[in-house]
Amino acid sequence: MSNSALFDLSGKVAVVKGAGSGLSVEFATVLAAAGADVSCLEVRPDAAQRTVEIVQGLGRKSIALGCDVSVEPEVQTASPTHKHLSAAWTSSSTTPV
């Protein structure tokens, strides 16, 4: 059985936090390649927009949502967009700079 058959996310929705850089960009790409639509959460929405373009380039739907995961009201505002969430990747930092 092929890896794509084992990891088929066709018709599923995923959310990736911290989607503007690093492993989160890679994971969003893997999810999209497996067939998932991907919501990209990032404190810097412009950075997440680059990830959205990668996901859309793979033929999947995607949106960039500005969200600081250390601010609960922002997380709650983003949550209603994920009514049928199937997967989540949570690689984000809340450490002050």
Side-chain angles (χ1 to χ4, degrees), residues 49-63:
Q49 187 58 41
R50 291 189 299 269
T51 306
V52 166
E53 292 168 4
I54 293 168
V55 170
Q56 290 174 338
L58 292 169
R60 306 308 313 158
K61 295 178 187 173
S62 188
I63 185 171

Side-chain angles (χ1 to χ4, degrees), residues 36-57:
D37 294 332
V38 182
S39 293
C40 299
L41 275 60
E42 172 62 56
V43 70
R44 301 165 298 132
D46 57 319
Q49 187 58 41
R50 291 189 299 269
T51 306
V52 166
E53 292 168 4
I54 293 168
V55 170
Q56 290 174 338

Side-chain angles (χ1 to χ4, degrees), residues 7 9 25-35 58:
F7 194 64
L9 296 176
V25 176
E26 298 303 320
F27 202 74
T29 303
V30 167
L31 291 166
L58 292 169

